[in-house]
Amino acid sequence: MDRVALRGLKARGHHGVFPREREEGQTFIVDLVLGLDTRPAAADDDLAKTVHYGVVAEEVVGVVQGEPVDLIETLAERIAQQCLKHAGVQEVEVVVHKPDAPITVPFDDVTITITRSRA
């Protein structure tokens, strides 16, 4: 399986369990690795035979900006399911970063990583 990766998609969302997170929002960063067979697209040099990563990026940002959820686990699942709606995508790895998580000690980042497939 081939891989198409999108790294560092940024969007503001209102996800979290605390009222401040829901009210003020914060930046979430998403990394994706889409698993698909790119041979048909490469053979014919045809965008229609692969995944349009620009469209995927816009959809993912839409999910992050969309309906708030409590958990980044839920957000990651919604992103994965959106990616799998593209016919050629057989598998997706989603990493959601929450660099401004409400943690009381110094930290660099909080992430959740999930992998989902059609099978």
Side-chain angles (χ1 to χ4, degrees):
M1 194 169 312
D2 303 319
R3 305 273 182 232
V4 173
L6 290 93
R7 307 261 187 228
L9 295 171
K10 294 180 185 172
R12 190 159 187 83
H14 293 264
H15 311 289
V17 296
F18 296 112
R20 190 180 108 250
E21 293 179 292
R22 292 294 183 104
E23 293 165 12
E24 297 175 14
Q26 60 192 291
T27 299
F28 292 84
I29 303 166
V30 179
D31 301 325
L32 301 173
V33 179
L34 307 170
L36 65 153
D37 183 357
T38 63
R39 289 175 292 190
D44 295 337
D45 199 26
D46 186 353
L47 176 60
K49 294 182 179 179
T50 188
V51 64
H52 191 309
Y53 50 80
V55 171
V56 171
E58 291 171 0
E59 291 172 350
V60 168
V61 166
V63 172
V64 174
Q65 293 174 337
E67 181 184 347
V69 297
D70 288 344
L71 304 177
I72 59 173
E73 292 86 344
T74 307
L75 181 59
E77 185 66 34
R78 287 184 177 180
I79 291 168
Q81 294 309 314
Q82 181 63 45
C83 292
L84 289 171
K85 289 181 181 179
H86 292 268
V89 177
Q90 299 300 308
E91 181 178 275
V92 61
E93 179 184 275
V94 177
V95 181
V96 174
H97 301 257
K98 189 175 179 180
D100 298 320
I103 296 176
T104 60
V105 297
F107 74 102
D108 289 330
D109 199 5
V110 173
T111 66
I112 176 76
T113 303
I114 66 170
T115 302
R116 299 292 183 264
S117 64
R118 292 184 182 279

